[in-house]
């Protein structure tokens, strides 16, 4: 098992999930980021890694995902807002609107993200 390092979000989320599950894991390595952890599995250098569902989607069938039960799962939240004083507020507003639209949610869903 490899994990993302605890200094990166994926590593912190994995640690929280393992704590909720009451599981102790001694990883073979702590990778610089979640993509590096996934790469170890894709290359056959590790049997498993805890990664984002969206990363599994981008692996195009090269890895098999296992769902984490809701009671142990940790949901990553990515807020999107238009900043006060944005250089291009109209474009930023349009982008946030796209993210919230049915079309935007479909694109996110197709890439392994879930909507709130």
């Amino acid at each position: 098992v490899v994990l993302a390092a605890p200094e990166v979000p994926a590593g912190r989320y994995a640690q929280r999930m393992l704590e909720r599950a009451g599981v102790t894991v001694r990883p073979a390595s702590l990778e610089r980021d979640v993509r590096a952890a996934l790469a170890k599995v894709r290359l056959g250098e590790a049997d498993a890694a805890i990664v984002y569902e969206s990363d599994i989607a981008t692996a195009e069938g090269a890895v098999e995902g296992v769902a984490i039960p809701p009671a142990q799962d940790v949901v990553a939240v990515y807020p999107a807002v238009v900043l006060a004083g944005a250089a291009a507020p109209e474009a930023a507003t349009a982008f946030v609107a796209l993210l919230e639209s049915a079309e935007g949610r479909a694109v996110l869903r197709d890439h392994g993200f879930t909507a709130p």
Side-chain angles (χ1 to χ4, degrees):
V1 175
V2 296
L3 299 173
E7 298 81 30
V8 298
R12 288 191 299 273
Y13 295 142
Q15 188 58 45
R16 254 190 268 156
M17 185 274 305
L18 291 167
E19 288 170 2
R20 286 182 180 182
V23 175
T24 300
V25 172
R26 289 182 177 75
S29 67
L30 294 171
E31 300 302 314
R32 68 183 173 348
D33 58 37
V34 69
R35 289 187 180 176
L38 178 61
K40 292 270 188 171
V41 175
R42 286 187 78 163
L43 294 169
E45 297 174 8
D47 295 324
I50 297 173
V51 300
Y52 299 118
E53 188 174 341
S54 57
D55 290 312
I56 294 169
T58 65
E60 301 173 339
V63 298
E64 182 180 339
V66 176
I68 296 170
Q72 286 79 36
D73 200 7
V74 176
V75 177
V77 177
Y78 299 96
V81 298
V82 177
L83 298 176
E90 297 84 14
T93 300
F95 179 70
V96 171
L98 174 64
L99 290 175
E100 294 173 337
S101 72
E103 177 187 2
R105 288 177 185 263
V107 170
L108 291 170
R109 190 173 41 257
D110 289 347
H111 289 86
F113 292 91
T114 56

